[in-house]
Structures are given as C-alpha cells and as structure tokens.
Amino acid sequence: MQQPTPPPHTTCIQFCRQKVLCASEPYSPEQLRHVLAMIYGDTGERAAGSFTGYLRFAGENCNQLFLFFFKGAPYAAGRYDEGKPVIYTIQELARQLVKSDKSSLSLTLCETDPVLLKSMLLFLQKEPAIKAPTSLIDLEQIVQQIGTTGQHAMIALRRDNLFNCYFLKNGICAQVHYADSSFVRPDGMSLDEEMLLYAFQPGAEILAYIYRDMNTTVAEDSSQYDQDSLYTLLTVGYLKNKRKSDQDDVKPAADVAGSTMDEVSQPRSSLGITIESGPQQGVQFTVTLPCTIGRTESDLILGDRLVSRRHALLKREGDMVVIEDLGSKNGTKIKGTKIARATVTPDELITIGPFQLRIQTDVE
C-alpha cells in the first residue's frame, strides 16, 4: 500500500518551542558542557532535578538527534532522518553523535511541559493509529468518537515541516502546542473547534497523525548516567570504566504518564489498510498491531451503523497476521464468507459492514 505523500520540504521537522534556552548554537565540547550545566541546575537558573525538555543535535540534511530529559534526568533518545523516526538508547545516540560531522552540527536546548515532551516522544516511538491527509478522513467524527470513549489521545496536524500537537484528556482537547507561528488563534472557540479550523484551512495540505496509545518508552539505560558520565558518553561514545557489553541491573524508570518501560516496550508491528469500497473509499491508514476495528471504542473507527462498536481484531501471531471477529452483529467476511478467525494473506480484502478493507501485511 502506498502511504500518503507528505507535503514538500518536510525533511527537517519542527515542534513547538516553549522556552528556548540555547538556539542552534554551533557544536563544541564546551557548548555541550554548558547546556548540560543548564539542564542539571549548575548555572542557578533552575533547581536541580527540575528540567523537563530536550536537547537537539542537528546536522546536514536535517539529520536530527534528540535527547529527552524528564525531571532533570535523561529519559529517552531518538533520531529523525530521511523522513523516518528511530528510537535509540542513550548510548546509541552517543555513538551516532560521535560519528557525526561536528563542523555542521548545532545544539538547541528547549524546556517544555510534560505534555509537549510526551507528544514528541509519541511521534518518535509510535506508529499512529491513523495517518492521512485531513482531506481524506472525517476528523470531526474521529474527535467525536474519542470524546465518546473518554480516552486520552494526541492528534498532530502537520503543515509542511511544522508539527502542531493537540492533547485530548478524557476525550476533550485540553492543551495545544503550535509550531506554526503564522496561525492566528481565534477568540471564543473551544480547543476542539480551533483544531478543526486549523485542520481544514483553505488551500493548505494538512497531514493528521492520530495517537490513541499514549504510552511511551523509557531508554533502557536512562538511569545509568549522571552529569559527568553523560558528558563523557556524548563526547567519547562510551565510558572508559565500563566494557561496552556490560549490562547494569537497572530498575525500570517511570514513564512520563506513570507507566514503566516494562509495560510499554513490547514488540510491535504495523500494517497498511486501504478502504477499497464503501464510505471513505480511498482512505489509507497505517495501524499498529494489535488493532481493534469498530464503530466506537476501537483503535480504527469505521463510522457506520452496520459496524459493531468493537467489531474485529487484527493481531500478529508469529509471522502471520490474524483477524478475529469479536462477536459482531453482522459478521466479518473474507471472500464473501463469514469467519470467526482467519489468517490474513497479503492484499487480502476483508468486508466489515459496508466497508471493504485491503490489508497489506508486510509493513514494518
């Protein structure tokens, strides 16, 4: 399945910058030591253990390395390069940093609130439940469905290279972060209405990312470094008093939202779904497995009365993708035959209510 084509000039992504402490300064070991001093409270600008935000290393062609901090300690790391997000451990980031061309490298340090930090981590770590241009999805209905279930969710609306994040708490939009400084926020609108206004600007192509799973993953080595050892790691690539194969017995750190790494780092995979016929024909999705499909209370929402609230489940079992009917009223069909459980083959057509869904099983 061909994914929606991103808008042009989108390689170098930008998130909202709440409080910029260091803006694209040329990299040097001295500058790195200075920003770490700001993070750890040595400069007197903030209390030790209070910094939440990120350090970004940007190189040529918008290759970006991110090191995230939560309450004054390293939390997670990742890279965005060639249009793809990648999860790193802290040590993996350090090794990439050491191999980078320092002459083109710059440092940016931003302090954020936990919600914006969570939004950035979701983008780097998770496949969205839905990723599609707003012109091809019923975003208003999706927002209503999230509100009906009362779940937490994050919706990112991307215009060119700008990511604007909307956090829905208990199904209601509660906090927004705009990277697009050209957008004039209207007076007298709810945040839900404001989000829809941004999503459907005349003449603008907006790509929507819908995240229903709000858990993020803590780097497995996040608890291993203090200020001095982190500086050494980022400048050398390893710690001299440890063999590279050493593994510390570290207790999992807490997630930004309270979960532990053990609860959220299970292997995951994704697949593509295209609506071949029925309502929303032509819309393409990338979903993370396991994925429930239904009219409400599901990961992938199909808005039609012939679809049960929780209609079917897609999941991976070994090398196979399996679909199970969840006791739906009108059944789940493959090749016109109702199934209770079946293996999904590549490019399989599945019928749910008035929808025919083509499943691509080899998206990783």
Side-chain angles (χ1 to χ4, degrees), residues 150-161:
Q151 66 184 133
H152 295 342
M154 197 275 282
I155 297 177
L157 297 179
R158 178 178 183 175
R159 179 176 183 176
D160 295 332
N161 63 339

Side-chain angles (χ1 to χ4, degrees), residues 282-358:
V283 176
Q284 301 176 347
F285 304 96
T286 300
V287 300
T288 301
L289 302 183
C291 172
T292 53
I293 302 172
R295 192 176 72 252
T296 62
E297 303 175 10
S298 298
D299 299 313
L300 177 58
I301 302 295
L302 300 178
D304 190 274
R305 60 183 181 83
L306 297 178
V307 179
S308 297
R309 286 183 298 173
R310 288 173 58 84
H311 196 107
L313 171 67
L314 279 167
K315 61 182 181 179
R316 192 176 292 276
E317 294 183 356
D319 294 331
M320 300 184 302
V321 174
V322 172
I323 186 165
E324 292 183 359
D325 186 84
L326 299 178
S328 65
K329 181 178 179 181
N330 294 303
T332 301
K333 299 178 182 178
I334 295 180
K335 297 178 182 178
T337 301
K338 285 187 177 181
I339 57 94
R341 181 182 183 279
T343 300
V344 180
T345 58
D347 291 325
E348 189 84 82
L349 276 174
I350 296 172
T351 301
I352 294 178
F355 298 88
Q356 275 202 317
L357 309 177
R358 186 176 298 279

Side-chain angles (χ1 to χ4, degrees), residues 144-214:
Q144 289 174 350
Q145 296 292 350
I146 293 172
T148 299
T149 59
Q151 66 184 133
H152 295 342
M154 197 275 282
I155 297 177
L157 297 179
R158 178 178 183 175
R159 179 176 183 176
D160 295 332
N161 63 339
L162 304 172
F163 273 79
N164 309 284
C165 302
Y166 304 79
F167 172 58
L168 284 71
K169 183 178 181 180
N170 299 322
I172 300 173
C173 191
Q175 198 167 337
V176 301
H177 298 95
Y178 285 102
D180 188 351
S181 59
S182 68
F183 178 64
V184 179
R185 299 181 64 179
D187 295 327
M189 277 191 175
S190 69
L191 294 182
D192 284 338
E193 293 169 333
E194 184 177 309
M195 174 171 53
L196 294 172
L197 177 68
Y198 188 91
F200 298 105
Q201 300 172 67
E205 183 168 353
I206 310 294
L207 192 62
Y209 298 70
I210 316 296
Y211 295 89
R212 297 177 185 272
D213 178 0
M214 295 290 290

Side-chain angles (χ1 to χ4, degrees), residues 13 15-19 39 49-56 65-78 90 108-126 154 156 163-167 175-178 211 213-219 222 253-258:
I13 59 170
F15 292 93
C16 174
R17 295 184 175 188
Q18 286 181 303
K19 185 175 182 180
I39 290 169
S50 65
F51 179 84
T52 292
Y54 65 91
L55 176 58
R56 187 192 72 168
L65 299 171
F66 291 91
L67 179 55
F68 298 94
F69 293 82
F70 181 58
K71 293 184 178 180
Y75 181 83
I90 312 299
T108 297
L109 180 66
C110 291
E111 193 167 19
T112 73
D113 62 38
V115 171
L116 178 56
L117 185 76
K118 167 73 75 172
S119 300
M120 296 178 67
L121 286 168
L122 286 171
F123 172 73
L124 286 172
Q125 295 184 352
K126 296 282 186 179
M154 197 275 282
F163 273 79
N164 309 284
C165 302
Y166 304 79
F167 172 58
Q175 198 167 337
V176 301
H177 298 95
Y178 285 102
Y211 295 89
D213 178 0
M214 295 290 290
N215 288 323
T216 51
T217 303
V218 186
S222 62
D255 178 76
V256 171

Side-chain angles (χ1 to χ4, degrees), residues 77-81 84-88 123-125:
R79 184 188 82 200
Y80 189 80
D81 186 20
K84 297 179 181 179
V86 181
I87 304 171
Y88 278 158
F123 172 73
L124 286 172
Q125 295 184 352

